Each structure stands twice: as C-alpha cells, then as structure tokens.
Amino acid sequence: MLDELLARIIAWAEGEARVCAVVLEGSLAKNEDVDDLSDLDVNIWFEGDLAFGIGTEWLADIGEVLIENPLDMMSPAGEIRTQLVIFKNGEKVDFSFWSVSLLEKPFPYYEKIEMLVDKDNYVAKISKCVTENKKVALAKSEFERIVNEFWFELHYVAKFLKRGEVWFVQGIQAGIRENYFLPLFEECARIEGVKTSFSGRKIEKWLPSVFVKRLPFLFAGYDVADGWQMMWKEIALFEEVSLFVARNRDFDLPLAKIEGMKALLKQIQEA
C-alpha cells in the first residue's frame, strides 16, 4: 500500500509545476522500525508562493482524505508549514512544505533522505542539510537540573494526592516521566552504547532490562492509595537510575536534599 501511495505522490509532484523536489525522510528513509502501520514523512520542496498545506483540493490526485490537520512546526530553517493527512484507506502521510529559497543557506535537519522527485538536481543542495545524528552525553548542569526538578515536582504529587486530586496528579506524573525519567533513561542507554529512539519509542528494546521490568511502577491506577504506592516506587527507581548515571559520569547527587525531601513527602502523606 505504501508503494502505491508513493507512486501517486510522485506522479502528482511530477505534474505540478511549482514542485521542484520531493524528499522522503523518517523511518522509511532510514529503514528503521518499519511495519504495516508506518507513516510516510514527505517533504515537498517548492518555488514561489506556498499553494499547498491548506484544505484537501490539492490532494485529490493522491487519495481521498478522511481527516487532515494543518500545523506549523519550527525547524532549523525557521517555521515550516506541515499538513498531516489520513486517507480513507488508512494510509497516513505527514507532508511538510519547504521553499527552495531556504537552500541558499543549508541547515542541519535530515538524518537520512531518499529523493523521490528531483527536477533540477536539487539533491546536491538538499544533501547539504543531512547531518549525522550524534547523541551527546548528558551535561553535568542538565543532570543537576533534572534531579532538582524531579524532587521539587514530587512535592506537588504528594500535596495533590493528599487533597485527593487524582486527575491533576496523573498530569504531573506524565510530565515527570517525559521530562525527568526519559532523559536519564536515554543516558543509561548511551552509557551502555545502545542507540535510543525518539520520545521513548521502542524503550523496551534499548533501556537496560533491569529498568525495563520496573517501568510499570511509573503508572498508577485512578486511585489515591495507588498513587501513593506508585510515588514511592518511582522514587526508588529514580534514585537507582540517577545513581547509575552519576557513578558512570562522575556526577554528584545532593544526598542531604534527597533525604530531606523524602522525609517531607512522608510527612505530607501521614499528616
């Protein structure tokens, strides 16, 4: 199905005078984690005014649209219009629209590309935007910020659990997983020389197994008692993960502050 969809996109682009090149990026271009549910990430390089990205009329030759969502995203080249499209047969394409004028000053953006359409040898210029994706080790200052903010956020978890505000606590915990646990999990993988995926994708494959089996500890049921139980389990996990990173990167942990915060959280729970 994806091959047929790509063929329709290519045919449309070749017949559209304003389109200069079409680039495939993402998982299919990198040939990583591709399955029957994979989306297409298609970049339309155009000249002149942007005539795409709004409405569905321009998509008529590609497929019948079920639902679409136009968005603007920030890139190293500035703000770029995108249009996320799901066709009626379930195929999904994330289109983005790039003026060829941006190529006057190449910018780092792509990890890997596949040229689908190239009307005037734009591959030479677009290839200058391909950059090696190097995962830089976590800086000491960033580690210290993560540890400090994690313990600060737990004060809100305890306070609102005590008030019985489970919905609000669930939102805080989602932020804790994304903003504090995930960066440390990624650092654990880097320490062991394992490649990660963005936004925690495929985490069961790249996170050390000793931590994978404890991931359920970061998710609580919709219940105050379960929320308290989960909080103490996540504290134990965070202490272990942060200690692993600290020892391998020669960072320090604020042990007195941590013990003080655990005592305060216990006090709030038992008050």
Side-chain angles (χ1 to χ4, degrees), residues 51-115:
F52 321 111
I54 300 176
T56 59
E57 184 176 349
W58 73 275
L59 292 160
D61 293 332
I62 298 175
E64 190 174 0
V65 175
L66 174 64
I67 190 170
E68 54 85 30
N69 191 21
L71 299 169
D72 293 321
M73 74 170 186
M74 287 305 300
S75 78
E79 193 169 74
I80 298 296
R81 169 54 59 92
T82 71
Q83 190 172 13
L84 315 182
V85 181
I86 300 176
F87 294 96
K88 283 197 172 180
N89 59 4
E91 298 166 331
K92 181 175 179 288
V93 184
D94 294 348
F95 291 99
S96 58
F97 308 93
W98 306 75
S99 171
V100 291
S101 63
L102 296 172
L103 295 173
E104 296 174 4
K105 295 181 179 180
F107 50 91
Y109 178 70
Y110 297 109
E111 290 183 45
K112 193 172 182 180
I113 62 172
E114 180 180 340
M115 295 294 295

Side-chain angles (χ1 to χ4, degrees), residues 14 36 53 59 71 81 153 158 231 235 246 250 270:
E14 289 176 338
D36 292 339
L59 292 160
L71 299 169
R81 169 54 59 92
E153 285 293 293
M231 187 190 78
I235 285 173
D250 197 23
E270 296 178 350

Side-chain angles (χ1 to χ4, degrees), residues 18 23 27-28 30 67 88 100 126 134 143 179 181 256 263 265:
R18 290 164 291 190
V23 172
S27 58
L28 271 82
K30 293 182 287 187
I67 190 170
K88 283 197 172 180
V100 291
I126 294 175
K134 293 183 178 180
F143 175 77
N179 298 319
F181 273 99
L265 297 174

Side-chain angles (χ1 to χ4, degrees), residues 5-6 16 25 59 83 88 112 134 164-166 196 220 271:
L5 178 58
L6 282 172
E16 175 54 64
E25 61 159 325
L59 292 160
Q83 190 172 13
K88 283 197 172 180
K112 193 172 182 180
K134 293 183 178 180
E165 297 188 39
V166 178
T196 63

Side-chain angles (χ1 to χ4, degrees), residues 141-152:
S141 59
E142 182 66 3
F143 175 77
E144 291 173 347
R145 182 194 66 82
I146 289 171
V147 171
N148 188 71
E149 290 187 10
F150 168 80
W151 288 102
F152 199 93

